[in-house]
Amino acid sequence: MHIGTSVLSASKIESMGGDFVLFQHGFTPAGVRVGHLIREERLQVMKALGVEEHANPLGMYDKVTHPDEHPEIGVFMTLAGPDRVKHRYLTEDCGCGAAILLSFARRLGLEMPVLEAFVKVAGILTEEDYMSTGRTLENLGFDAGMIAGEIMAAV
């Protein structure tokens, strides 16, 4: 949810600083579209691994883009941040969640072009190579010869 919206909002984040509110300024139609595409890629990897999504992480998109219909979301509409591009919305989400997901996809022979592109651009923005430094299967010590089923059994 954060990677696409934060990358697409980088200029606005830098120009607004502490006044930027992701849930107000970043949840544009383009950001929501990217989020849905990344989720679809994620679901393909999960299916190949034999795991199910426990909840749709994009349910928040519908609420934030229609706040009048969802008064319970009000607190999110005023949460400031990120105040800079090198923020946990990119550093943690790319270095932890996206890196491991992309490394599983590669191990399975699946492509995730949208997530891969956004992680690459996020790395340019934050001056970090998330696939080299992030939590990938390789960086966590899983041998390159291990197949996904062996990794899942080990976990």
Side-chain angles (χ1 to χ4, degrees), residues 67-109:
D68 295 340
E69 299 169 23
H70 300 279
E72 74 277 12
I73 204 75
V75 67
F76 288 97
M77 300 306 289
T78 59
L79 284 177
D83 58 352
R84 63 196 177 290
V85 174
K86 194 166 193 161
H87 182 273
R88 68 182 177 86
Y89 284 176
L90 290 180
T91 60
E92 291 178 13
D93 289 17
C94 290
C96 298
I100 192 71
L101 185 60
L102 284 167
S103 65
F104 262 113
R106 290 174 181 172
R107 191 72 57 102
L108 292 162

Side-chain angles (χ1 to χ4, degrees), residues 97-150:
I100 192 71
L101 185 60
L102 284 167
S103 65
F104 262 113
R106 290 174 181 172
R107 191 72 57 102
L108 292 162
L110 299 173
E111 293 186 10
M112 297 186 76
V114 178
L115 182 59
E116 192 153 350
F118 274 84
V119 168
K120 184 72 171 173
V121 173
I124 293 166
L125 295 173
T126 62
E127 300 178 301
E128 186 73 47
D129 180 353
Y130 293 108
M131 295 310 293
S132 293
T133 62
R135 291 185 181 166
T136 63
L137 293 171
E138 295 75 21
N139 292 345
L140 292 172
F142 291 100
D143 185 77
M146 290 180 79
I147 61 171
E150 294 171 328

Side-chain angles (χ1 to χ4, degrees), residues 17-66:
D19 293 328
F20 182 81
V21 178
L22 183 68
F23 298 97
Q24 284 181 31
H25 306 115
F27 280 61
T28 64
V32 171
R33 191 166 44 257
V34 166
H36 284 286
L37 291 170
I38 290 172
R39 178 177 179 241
E40 289 303 315
E41 292 177 349
R42 178 175 162 258
L43 288 172
Q44 289 177 17
V45 174
M46 293 174 71
K47 181 179 178 183
L49 291 171
V51 296
E52 293 182 21
E53 184 178 58
H54 62 66
N56 178 357
L58 302 184
M60 179 71 95
Y61 282 158
D62 294 330
K63 292 178 181 179
V64 170
T65 55
H66 299 97

